[in-house]
Amino acid sequence: SSAFVPAPIAPARMPVRPAPARSAVLLSSQSREGILSPAVRAAKAVLGDERLNKLRGAVIAKHTQFIQNFVSAPPTPASEALARKLFQLADKNRDGQLQRDEVRAALLALGFTHLDDDKVDAIMARADADANGSLDFDEFLAEAPKTLKPNLVKLAKRNGNDLGLLV
């Protein structure tokens, strides 16, 4: 009893371009390789550079607007409760005030590594309405949108770059 075994079929060969070297360093265009870079390259091959850049620009603009609207939304009981929880988490010594080092640590925990000491000092000076060197909850609540709005947008851009969305 013989069994029929079909001959193996060779897969179709598509021309393949060599993949760019993967690296964690910035490329010449200041864009990073990341986990989503292959998908972006595929979209670029289908859409072309111009259409992809227009699409990317539109998505970035919508995302930026969403962040700005979210941060600028009128306060609600839920947003105030969230702000109070963030304040409590930042208030490491539990004295009901945020000192400069606590503000700095909270900003770093949020991923705002681009804020150097001078920028943290400027945030403190702007927020400290009673000039006592620390922020109470009301000062924190008034300052949070002013600090969050531009810095969340910067963080989103950096995260998108780190994921490879800007290649």
Side-chain angles (χ1 to χ4, degrees), residues 19-151:
R22 295 191 66 114
S23 122
V25 299
L26 290 177
L27 302 176
S28 61
S29 68
Q30 297 298 306
S31 299
R32 288 185 185 268
E33 285 293 314
I35 193 166
L36 298 177
S37 296
V40 173
R41 284 196 182 83
K44 192 179 288 190
V46 171
L47 298 173
D49 282 340
E50 187 176 335
R51 285 181 58 203
L52 176 64
N53 286 339
K54 284 182 182 179
L55 175 63
R56 187 176 5 216
V59 170
I60 290 170
K62 293 267 188 211
H63 188 246
T64 298
Q65 190 62 50
F66 173 81
I67 291 170
Q68 292 174 341
N69 290 344
F70 175 76
V71 172
S72 301
T76 64
S79 67
E80 189 167 324
L82 177 61
R84 189 165 300 282
K85 185 63 177 173
L86 290 172
F87 183 88
Q88 291 167 348
L89 289 170
D91 185 14
K92 297 296 184 191
N93 66 5
R94 308 276 191 253
D95 68 351
Q97 301 281 317
L98 297 182
Q99 284 70 42
R100 184 202 176 283
D101 62 320
E102 291 172 319
V103 170
R104 174 87 170 127
L107 292 169
L108 287 174
L110 289 171
F112 299 159
T113 56
H114 58 277
L115 295 176
D116 61 19
D117 287 336
D118 290 341
K119 290 178 183 165
V120 174
D121 290 341
I123 291 167
M124 286 295 295
R126 183 177 63 221
D128 188 11
D130 60 10
N132 69 349
S134 62
L135 306 182
D136 61 29
F137 179 70
D138 290 333
E139 292 169 324
F140 170 81
L141 195 58
E143 177 58 30
K146 297 173 196 164
T147 296
L148 288 175
K149 189 183 295 187
N151 291 299

